[in-house]
């Protein structure tokens, strides 16, 4: 039978383990519907903006076995937001312009009947804007930060937690040998989920998250408890977006064209503050960085991402446009993009995991 319908798939924002599993899930499910053809846009929407367009046909050859691979075969960017598209001016400065109308028209004129946009909160805001411009679009949530409120879990998060926990375990043995304080900085932007899970899984003494600003003296107190007679060791996990009480986050300016500041380096700031506050123990810092986003997704994330892909294509068949796939109460379901992009999902200080951690004598420095 002749192909009658065309689907466009893309990945936007930072990458995350499981993206390829979603792409494969969509493509495999679509292959069962003989009249559908699936294409990927290379590097988020930039593939559509380029002349000629940069597309990849997501046939069997392109998607076979990719669910085990990290990254995204479609590439991605966090600098191509069509709502605030960076344009370099003659003097080298950057201004941002809204290109969503042009983008929606271009996608339609290329003959696409539907679009699946796999991305985090920023990407889903773009999905919502394009839906309002008349595009048949569906969102699939992704982020290692797990900070979307409309889904209980995003794929990639559990893999990031596993990588952080494996690294933490390694730091524990060397901390013990040297009687040191080890500070491990993890990602998560303004959400402390990765740090909180890692602290409990790894058995940290101190867990510092953005949602609970820390008092340095409280952390020194907890460290001192562990250094009876100069012995002992301490393992701290700190989220990159953490800040002291009355302080600010540790950040640097993002690259040209990026909308975000870059977080990172809070481990070194904490180390200095601990010394200034009288901590006598030797301190070492580890900034885990992008290893948390790299490599193969663990089985849980492969399953979640694959199911999201299959479900997203079924939403296309059911014409559930303007909605995002969501995982709630052990069920895969959908929510409107409007609902999905309303508010981020942060750790509440009375969350059961924070309470459990406190029950284990993990200090949050509060
Ligand atoms: O949102 C995912 C994330 O990995 C954050 O945890 C981190 O702050 C950010 O992306 C890093 O972005 P980039 O890849 O641009 O350095």
């Amino acid at each position: 039978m002749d192909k009658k319908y065309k689907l466009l798939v893309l990945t936007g924002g930072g990458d995350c383990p499981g993206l390829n599993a979603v792409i494969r899930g969509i493509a495999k499910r679509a292959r069962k519907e003989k009249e559908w053809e699936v294409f990927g846009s290379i590097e988020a929407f930039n593939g559509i903006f380029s002349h000629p367009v940069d597309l990849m046909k997501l046939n069997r050859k392109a998607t076979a076995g990719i669910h085990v691979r990290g990254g995204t075969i479609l590439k991605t960017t966090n600098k191509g937001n069509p709502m605030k598209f960076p344009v370099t001016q003659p003097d080298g400065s950057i201004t941002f312009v809204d290109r969503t109308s042009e983008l929606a028209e271009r996608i339609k004129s290329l003959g696409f009947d539907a679009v699946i946009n796999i991305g985090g909160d920023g990407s889903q805001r773009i999905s919502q804007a394009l839906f309002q411009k008349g595009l048949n679009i569906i969102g699939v949530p992704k982020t290692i930060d797990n900070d979307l409120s409309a889904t209980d879990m995003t794929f990639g998060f559990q893999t990031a937690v596993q990588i952080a926990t494996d690294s933490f375990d390694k730091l524990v043995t060397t901390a013990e040998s040297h009687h040191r304080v080890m500070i491990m900085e993890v990602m998560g932007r303004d959400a402390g989920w990765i740090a909180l899970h890692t602290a409990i899984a790894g058995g940290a003494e101190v867990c510092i998250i953005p949602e609970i600003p820390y008092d340095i003296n409280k952390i020194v107190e907890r460290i001192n408890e562990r250094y009876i007679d100069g012995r002992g060791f301490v393992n701290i996990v700190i989220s990159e977006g953490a800040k002291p009480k009355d302080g600010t986050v540790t950040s640097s300016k993002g690259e040209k064209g990026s909308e975000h500041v870059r977080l990172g380096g809070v481990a070194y700031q904490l180390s200095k503050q601990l010394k200034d506050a009288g901590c006598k123990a030797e301190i070492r810092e580890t900034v885990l960085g992008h290893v948390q986003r790299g490599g193969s997704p663990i089985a849980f994330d492969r399953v979640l991402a694959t199911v999201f892909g299959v479900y997203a294509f079924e939403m296309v068949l059911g014409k559930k446009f303007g909605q995002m796939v969501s995982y709630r109460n052990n069920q895969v379901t959908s929510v409107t993009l409007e609902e999905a992009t309303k508010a981020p999902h942060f750790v509440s200080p009375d969350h059961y995991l924070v309470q459990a951690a406190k029950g284990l004598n993990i200090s949050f420095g509060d």
Side-chain angles (χ1 to χ4, degrees), residues 173-316:
T173 59
T174 174
E176 186 168 13
S177 311
H178 287 268
H179 302 298
R180 279 177 173 156
V181 172
M182 288 289 179
I183 304 174
M184 187 178 87
E185 177 181 321
V186 296
M187 283 185 165
R189 289 207 75 83
D190 303 316
W193 296 111
I194 298 177
L196 180 57
H197 282 250
T198 305
I200 294 175
E205 282 72 41
V206 180
C207 173
I208 312 288
I209 58 174
E211 296 87 342
I212 307 179
Y214 61 88
D215 173 345
I216 196 71
N217 297 313
K218 293 279 169 54
I219 303 175
V220 174
E221 260 171 44
R222 179 72 183 100
I223 292 172
N224 288 346
E225 274 172 27
R226 296 265 301 176
Y227 277 87
I228 313 291
D229 302 330
R231 300 178 70 80
F233 63 99
V234 167
N235 283 86
I236 299 176
V237 57
I238 184 165
S239 195
E240 61 180 1
K243 49 191 170 305
K245 281 185 178 156
D246 307 318
T248 52
V249 293
T250 308
S251 64
S252 54
K253 220 167 157 275
E255 290 101 348
K256 265 192 166 183
S258 168
E259 299 164 54
H260 300 292
V261 293
R262 278 185 71 186
L263 296 176
V266 71
Y268 297 101
Q269 177 184 289
L270 180 69
S271 174
K272 184 174 178 309
Q273 289 169 344
L274 285 172
K275 285 175 203 149
D276 292 347
C279 176
K280 297 279 178 295
E282 266 188 6
I283 309 173
R284 293 291 185 270
E285 311 81 13
T286 301
V287 178
L288 219 46
H290 291 77
V291 292
Q292 292 160 96
R293 271 183 17 199
S296 188
I298 61 169
F300 179 92
D301 282 334
R302 290 182 201 183
V303 174
L304 188 63
T306 303
V307 171
F308 274 10
V310 171
Y311 197 85
F313 184 76
E314 287 173 354
M315 284 170 67
V316 169

Side-chain angles (χ1 to χ4, degrees), residues 17 67-70 159 163 294-298 302:
H67 58 299
V68 306
R69 277 170 52 192
T159 301
I163 293 167
S296 188
I298 61 169
R302 290 182 201 183

Side-chain angles (χ1 to χ4, degrees), residues 30-278:
R31 246 171 258 143
K32 292 183 73 178
E33 309 297 321
K34 303 279 179 258
E35 66 271 32
W36 279 88
E37 232 176 344
V38 187
F39 294 84
S41 169
I42 302 300
E43 212 182 79
F45 287 110
N46 288 345
I48 297 290
F49 281 131
S50 19
H51 293 277
V53 284
D54 197 0
L55 301 176
M56 176 195 269
K57 196 162 180 189
L58 294 174
N59 54 20
R60 195 180 305 276
K61 190 161 172 246
T63 59
I66 61 169
H67 58 299
V68 306
R69 277 170 52 192
T72 161
I73 60 163
L74 295 177
K75 317 295 178 219
T76 187
T77 177
N78 49 18
K79 291 197 251 343
N81 182 349
M83 294 163 81
K84 284 185 186 169
F85 198 84
V87 180
T88 309
Q89 299 302 313
D91 66 355
S93 64
I94 305 262
T95 55
F96 295 94
V97 293
D98 182 354
R99 295 184 70 185
T100 45
S101 299
E102 174 195 347
L103 179 62
E105 283 317 309
R106 197 155 158 75
I107 292 171
K108 284 185 214 162
S109 70
L110 288 165
F112 285 107
D113 300 283
V115 179
I116 297 179
N117 186 11
I118 313 166
D121 55 345
S123 299
Q124 300 317 334
R125 254 175 245 123
I126 297 167
S127 300
Q128 170 67 1
L130 291 170
F131 176 64
Q132 283 168 340
K133 299 264 146 86
L135 211 61
N136 292 336
I137 193 162
I138 281 164
V140 176
K142 72 85 224 186
T143 168
I144 62 162
D145 304 340
N146 205 36
D147 59 354
L148 296 178
S149 55
T151 182
D152 293 348
M153 189 88 72
T154 50
F155 62 85
F157 169 66
Q158 292 291 355
T159 301
V161 169
Q162 191 60 54
I163 293 167
T165 302
D166 291 344
S167 307
F168 187 89
D169 291 348
K170 292 177 173 60
L171 291 171
V172 168
T173 59
T174 174
E176 186 168 13
S177 311
H178 287 268
H179 302 298
R180 279 177 173 156
V181 172
M182 288 289 179
I183 304 174
M184 187 178 87
E185 177 181 321
V186 296
M187 283 185 165
R189 289 207 75 83
D190 303 316
W193 296 111
I194 298 177
L196 180 57
H197 282 250
T198 305
I200 294 175
E205 282 72 41
V206 180
C207 173
I208 312 288
I209 58 174
E211 296 87 342
I212 307 179
Y214 61 88
D215 173 345
I216 196 71
N217 297 313
K218 293 279 169 54
I219 303 175
V220 174
E221 260 171 44
R222 179 72 183 100
I223 292 172
N224 288 346
E225 274 172 27
R226 296 265 301 176
Y227 277 87
I228 313 291
D229 302 330
R231 300 178 70 80
F233 63 99
V234 167
N235 283 86
I236 299 176
V237 57
I238 184 165
S239 195
E240 61 180 1
K243 49 191 170 305
K245 281 185 178 156
D246 307 318
T248 52
V249 293
T250 308
S251 64
S252 54
K253 220 167 157 275
E255 290 101 348
K256 265 192 166 183
S258 168
E259 299 164 54
H260 300 292
V261 293
R262 278 185 71 186
L263 296 176
V266 71
Y268 297 101
Q269 177 184 289
L270 180 69
S271 174
K272 184 174 178 309
Q273 289 169 344
L274 285 172
K275 285 175 203 149
D276 292 347

